[in-house]
């Protein structure tokens, strides 16, 4: 991981403390300070202060440590949401008789879309999507039957 200016300053502070405590000679201290300001990664900084009592914030800070199960809060399962396209398909399917079949096609489209999304995401609502599909296809079939009867009546009336 790349080191920031703050990481370099922490390493320099540790080197200063090591020099003040007599753990580093003057030449070694100056050499390490120069290398600390040129360091690009946390690993380089860690190597500079590894033999001193304290170093910069280690990389382990960024990875969570395992917590004993006794200290873990009770975890609630994530709620599974109902697919909104399935709800739309159901509403359009129910509205088909009221709207003289105008919502039958959107019910079928939304129903097929919802079932594909449900298979991919694992959401709820497959029954709603299927009901919307059935009602939509019944509406389309009703209109097809109406036009068939109408054209047969017109053709036989001539």
């Amino acid at each position: 991981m790349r080191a920031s200016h703050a990481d370099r300053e922490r390493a320099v502070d540790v080197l200063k403390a090591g020099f003040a405590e007599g753990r580093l000679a003057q030449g070694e201290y100056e050499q390490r300070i120069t290398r600390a300001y040129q360091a690009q990664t946390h690993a380089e900084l860690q190597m500079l202060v590894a033999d001193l009592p304290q170093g910069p914030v280690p990389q382990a800070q960024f990875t969570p440590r395992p917590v004993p199960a006794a200290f873990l809060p009770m975890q609630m399962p994530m709620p599974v949401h109902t697919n909104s396209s399935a709800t739309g398909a159901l509403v359009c399917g129910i509205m088909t008789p009221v709207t003289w079949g105008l919502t039958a096609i959107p019910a079928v489209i939304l129903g097929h879309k919802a079932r594909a999304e449900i298979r991919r995401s694992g959401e709820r609502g497959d029954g709603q999507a299927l009901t919307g599909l059935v009602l939509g296809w019944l509406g389309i079939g009703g209109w097809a039957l109406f036009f068939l009867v109408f054209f047969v009546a017109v053709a036989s009336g001539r």
Side-chain angles (χ1 to χ4, degrees):
M1 183 182 304
R2 294 188 59 89
S4 67
H5 295 299
D7 297 327
R8 289 184 197 93
E9 289 301 322
R10 280 193 292 274
V12 168
D13 288 342
V14 170
L15 293 171
K16 285 179 185 176
F19 178 71
E21 294 171 355
R23 296 178 191 275
L24 297 174
Q26 176 77 30
E28 185 179 8
Y29 167 69
E30 291 172 359
Q31 183 184 17
R32 287 190 188 196
I33 291 286
T34 303
R35 287 176 54 200
Y37 282 118
Q38 294 172 350
Q40 296 293 316
T41 64
H42 279 274
E44 293 173 37
L45 291 174
Q46 185 62 36
M47 287 189 328
L48 291 174
V49 296
D51 59 343
L52 298 174
Q54 296 183 4
V57 177
Q59 286 181 322
Q61 160 194 350
F62 301 107
T63 58
R65 293 182 182 160
V67 179
F71 295 109
L72 288 176
M74 188 170 112
Q75 303 234 347
M76 300 298 290
M78 291 296 293
V80 181
H81 298 284
T82 303
N83 187 288
S84 58
S85 296
T87 304
L90 179 64
V91 169
C92 288
I94 290 172
M95 294 298 292
T96 299
V98 177
T99 61
W100 293 83
L102 295 177
T103 58
I105 293 174
V108 170
I109 293 170
L110 287 172
H112 284 293
K113 178 181 174 240
R115 293 197 76 198
E117 289 174 357
I118 289 168
R119 276 192 298 272
R120 261 183 311 204
S121 67
E123 293 175 306
R124 293 186 311 190
D126 192 48
Q128 291 179 350
L130 188 60
T131 303
L133 271 170
V134 169
L135 293 173
W137 280 117
L138 285 174
I140 291 171
W143 275 107
L145 182 64
F146 171 78
F147 283 121
L148 180 67
V149 169
F150 178 76
F151 287 127
V152 167
V154 168
S156 66
R158 286 188 180 189

